[in-house]
Amino acid sequence: MVNVIGLGYIGLPTALMLASHGVEVVGTDYNAQLVETLQAGKTTFEEKGLDELFQQALSAGIRFTTEYQTTDTYIVSVPTPYDKFSKKVDPGYVVAAVKQVIQVCPDSATVVIESTVSPGTIEKYVRPEVKAACAETGKEIRLVHAPERIIPGNMLFELIHNNRTIGADDRETGEAIKQMYASFCEGEIVVTDIQTAEMTKVVENTFRAVNIAFANELAKICRYDNMDVYEIIRICNMHPRVNILNPGPGVGGHCISVDPWFLVGDYPGLARVIDESMKTNDGMPDFVLNRIYEIMQEKGMTDLTRVGLYGLTYKENVDDCRESPTLQLLESQKRHLAPGLKVYDPFVRSDIAENQVHDLDEFLDSVDFVVLMVKHDEIKENMNKLAGKIVLDCHNICPLPGVYHI
Ligand code: SAJ
């Protein structure tokens, strides 16, 4: 049996995938309310195909509880926040979860850490705590790092098809865990050491962050001299060895906007391109806010309450608002003390922002100027409703004439 600890954005799909592929699974989370929701047969966030997979896993016998189980294999998928000041990863939740496992597990159990951590974290911070807890209980455990790589919005497909990395202290443990993931993963599964696995995960997200920062910097250069950044990137990408990503209103989520900071925090002075890239991405919501003020001035508009931000989530077609560029923009705008912008997102039903509207038509009726912060399918399918509005399109998705870009 596998006990999956932490039933959030990664732990839950992983637990469901294992269960629906013949592995006996118990999912554990310390959040009793979340566990009750799952026990009541409801999923806790929106993701393509998740409800169907949930039903399959329930039929296969998955159970949810707040209790840690006694078994030989654990998957730990808990948050790894970072300290915004030091830029270092906080392994506190991982350490706490592993220590709790040690209280209930048999000798020689394997604990797979899926949470993203900076290179060396398991050796420096987790292993000493594990050793101390093991010494108290007289047990040994095997630590493994198997960072997840799935992209929100296409998680279930990627769980099956992405390649994976398993970092282990010895080949035998790595191969055993590889077999567990191979129950559902059709990609190649590479077995390596723990620190290499830690580093590869952070480097993958850093590669994407730096590439997005490059696109954002190009957008700023092109704005300065009135060039079309999208056309330029499109043509550059026709070169066989160039693949520039898309500029946007900022980089959100709990991965690409966070993980590269671990390298800046751990290797200050060495991670210079990464540091500048992260600052460029973090500056994009303010850049968009300035564009809003610029366009309002050009149009002779003064009333900010007639301006609306479309989209609150960190990216399209997900309900996750962590590190959302829209929320960052609203924070900045609040400091300007003027009455706030309207905001709407079809995926966000609870009130998380001032002046939030919950219906697309009501939102559009209440504003003259719409800023497309997130490219949800909903707005792509309703572009005609933007006719006659001033539009600042942060993703180059609006085909209407006279649209502004970042
Ligand atoms: N973004 C841009 N321009 C782009 C692409 C993205 O501005 O061209 C923005 C998005 O709008 C969003 C942010 O970047 O705000 C991040 O979105 P994303 O779709 O690039 O990535 P995440 O954070 O949803 O998922 C990433 C993925 N990592 C890589 O592609 C290398 C995923 O595979 C990881 O599993 C995930 O991080 C994670 O959990 O670490």
Side-chain angles (χ1 to χ4, degrees):
M1 185 252 277
V2 176
N3 188 194
V4 178
I5 314 291
L7 299 171
Y9 286 103
I10 301 301
L12 181 64
T14 305
L16 300 178
M17 197 55 96
L18 281 166
S20 60
H21 284 78
V23 179
E24 188 187 349
V25 178
V26 175
T28 298
D29 200 292
Y30 74 169
N31 179 342
Q33 209 184 339
L34 181 140
V35 169
E36 273 171 31
T37 306
L38 295 171
Q39 285 171 338
K42 290 185 220 135
T43 49
T44 41
F45 62 96
E46 287 193 35
E47 176 64 33
K48 192 172 48 184
L50 190 66
D51 289 344
E52 293 79 354
L53 183 67
F54 189 64
Q55 290 312 319
Q56 285 171 29
L58 283 179
S59 309
I62 193 169
R63 290 187 293 115
F64 303 104
T65 170
T66 53
E67 304 294 322
Y68 283 60
Q69 305 294 300
T70 298
T71 185
D72 54 3
T73 310
Y74 297 82
I75 294 179
V76 172
S77 188
V78 294
T80 42
Y82 83 110
D83 179 86
K84 282 199 172 146
F85 182 68
S86 71
K87 311 291 187 207
K88 286 182 187 288
V89 69
D90 171 3
Y93 291 106
V94 174
V95 168
V98 179
K99 279 166 101 174
Q100 290 207 57
V101 165
I102 294 168
Q103 296 309 311
V104 297
C105 73
D107 192 28
S108 301
T110 303
V111 182
V112 182
I113 297 168
E114 279 215 15
S115 315
T116 303
V117 290
S118 59
T121 298
I122 292 180
E123 198 52 43
K124 276 188 262 177
Y125 303 105
V126 183
R127 209 186 291 277
E129 301 267 2
V130 165
K131 277 198 177 143
C134 282
E136 270 173 32
T137 53
K139 296 172 191 167
E140 286 292 322
I141 64 159
R142 295 166 200 193
L143 282 177
V144 171
H145 183 43
E148 59 77 21
R149 290 166 136 177
I150 53 177
I151 197 146
N154 200 24
M155 282 180 160
L156 305 187
F157 178 89
E158 291 208 348
L159 260 177
I160 294 175
H161 297 280
N162 280 8
N163 303 322
R164 294 194 77 108
T165 317
I166 310 279
D169 291 333
D170 60 85
R171 195 89 214 157
E172 194 195 327
T173 307
E175 290 296 329
I177 293 304
K178 175 175 170 174
Q179 288 316 312
M180 177 188 73
Y181 283 108
S183 66
F184 64 83
C185 174
E186 295 173 14
E188 188 180 334
I189 304 178
V190 178
V191 178
T192 182
D193 63 89
I194 289 179
Q195 188 160 357
T196 302
E198 291 173 322
M199 184 64 170
T200 50
K201 168 62 202 257
V202 174
V203 168
E204 288 159 14
N205 279 353
T206 303
F207 171 81
R208 197 160 166 85
V210 170
N211 193 329
I212 296 168
F214 179 60
N216 284 334
E217 189 164 291
L218 292 179
K220 288 181 174 177
I221 293 171
C222 291
R223 170 63 38 226
Y224 182 80
D225 242 349
N226 204 23
M227 294 181 271
D228 181 345
V229 70
Y230 300 104
E231 179 68 348
I232 290 161
I233 291 178
R234 189 182 72 79
I235 296 169
C236 290
N237 283 350
M238 291 166 76
H239 185 288
R241 282 175 296 283
V242 176
N243 186 14
I244 307 167
L245 289 169
N246 301 307
V251 171
H254 193 65
C255 309
I256 298 203
S257 70
V258 174
D259 301 352
W261 282 124
F262 298 165
L263 295 177
V264 177
D266 286 351
Y267 306 98
L270 294 177
R272 291 167 61 176
V273 171
I274 303 168
D275 189 11
E276 276 308 315
S277 300
M278 295 304 279
K279 286 175 184 152
T280 299
N281 290 339
D282 284 357
M284 289 312 288
D286 277 346
F287 183 76
V288 175
L289 185 57
N290 281 333
R291 279 294 283 150
I292 294 172
Y293 291 144
E294 237 171 53
I295 295 164
M296 285 179 75
Q297 202 170 22
E298 187 184 317
K299 293 287 181 185
M301 254 184 102
T302 50
D303 185 0
L304 263 175
T305 65
R306 299 294 298 172
V307 180
L309 304 179
Y310 178 89
L312 264 166
T313 60
Y314 84 92
K315 68 172 189 179
E316 68 278 10
N317 305 325
V318 299
D319 61 4
D320 187 345
C321 292
R322 288 177 298 174
E323 317 292 331
S324 142
T326 304
L327 289 175
Q328 291 174 49
L329 189 154
L330 288 170
E331 261 321 294
S332 283
Q333 196 264 318
K334 261 196 213 160
R335 280 184 237 122
H336 297 202
L337 294 175
L341 305 143
K342 298 255 171 27
V343 58
Y344 161 78
D345 192 305
F347 285 87
V348 184
R349 292 181 199 104
S350 52
D351 277 313
I352 63 163
E354 282 171 34
N355 305 314
Q356 189 179 340
V357 182
H358 290 280
D359 175 81
L360 177 63
D361 292 328
E362 193 188 318
F363 167 71
L364 293 176
D365 284 347
S366 68
V367 297
D368 305 312
F369 180 177
V370 181
V371 185
L372 299 178
M373 294 292 289
V374 184
K375 50 181 175 177
H376 289 310
D377 287 347
E378 182 207 52
I379 195 67
K380 289 193 191 162
E381 287 155 11
N382 283 286
M383 280 300 172
N384 57 326
K385 292 189 174 174
L386 296 176
K389 306 271 182 213
I390 303 166
V391 177
L392 170 56
D393 177 2
C394 300
H395 296 282
N396 197 29
I397 51 169
C398 182
L400 297 173
V403 165
Y404 291 89
H405 294 103
I406 51 174

